[in-house]
Amino acid sequence: SIAPVPFLLLTILLGMRDGLKFLIHVLIPQVIYLRRFENLRCLNVAGNPFTEENYKPYVVSHLPKLTYLDFRLVSQQMREEAIIQYQDAIDALEHNERDENKKIEAQRM
């Protein structure tokens, strides 16, 4: 079974007005969690508190198979710009994911 999305951070930070902290502590764990859903193609987060910031490049860059974000087609230009903007973070994340997958495979053997 799939573990639930951690809402504790969202509850703790809901009252904060510092958008950057909100993105760091809420958006990042939630979006990274969604990477587990390999067939995720459409995501609507419009109206959520973190959408007051420029969140779209972050979401698009970290969910590479996403086709629609907030009911709008993700353009190739948006995807390319987002990947460039977050390239270092994506590289580190993918490296960590590969390491985790290797550990899981080693445990199965």
Side-chain angles (χ1 to χ4, degrees), residues 4-52:
V5 177
F7 289 106
L8 182 60
L9 290 173
L10 179 64
T11 303
I12 292 170
L13 296 174
L14 247 164
M16 296 186 72
R17 295 183 184 263
D18 182 354
L20 184 59
K21 277 194 172 184
F22 197 84
L23 282 171
I24 290 171
H25 293 109
V26 175
L27 176 59
I28 291 174
Q30 302 254 341
V31 171
I32 290 173
Y33 176 85
L34 294 175
R35 289 174 63 90
R36 300 173 189 208
F37 302 99
E38 295 177 9
N39 294 321
L40 181 65
R41 300 291 186 267
C42 181
L43 179 65
N44 177 26
V45 292
N48 283 287
F50 72 80
T51 61
E52 294 174 8

Side-chain angles (χ1 to χ4, degrees), residues 6-103:
F7 289 106
L8 182 60
L9 290 173
L10 179 64
T11 303
I12 292 170
L13 296 174
L14 247 164
M16 296 186 72
R17 295 183 184 263
D18 182 354
L20 184 59
K21 277 194 172 184
F22 197 84
L23 282 171
I24 290 171
H25 293 109
V26 175
L27 176 59
I28 291 174
Q30 302 254 341
V31 171
I32 290 173
Y33 176 85
L34 294 175
R35 289 174 63 90
R36 300 173 189 208
F37 302 99
E38 295 177 9
N39 294 321
L40 181 65
R41 300 291 186 267
C42 181
L43 179 65
N44 177 26
V45 292
N48 283 287
F50 72 80
T51 61
E52 294 174 8
E53 299 295 323
N54 187 16
Y55 66 97
K56 289 182 181 183
Y58 182 87
V59 173
V60 169
S61 66
H62 285 76
L63 300 175
K65 295 181 180 179
L66 199 64
T67 305
Y68 293 93
L69 177 59
D70 299 335
F71 303 111
R72 296 188 188 273
L73 184 66
V74 174
S75 70
Q76 187 61 30
Q77 179 180 353
M78 176 193 261
R79 186 176 311 285
E80 289 170 1
E81 290 172 0
I83 289 170
I84 290 169
Q85 182 177 353
Y86 289 99
Q87 187 63 55
D88 291 339
I90 295 167
D91 289 345
L93 181 61
E94 289 175 349
H95 175 77
N96 290 340
E97 288 173 341
R98 281 191 300 274
D99 285 350
E100 285 298 316
N101 287 337
K102 286 178 185 177
K103 288 178 186 175

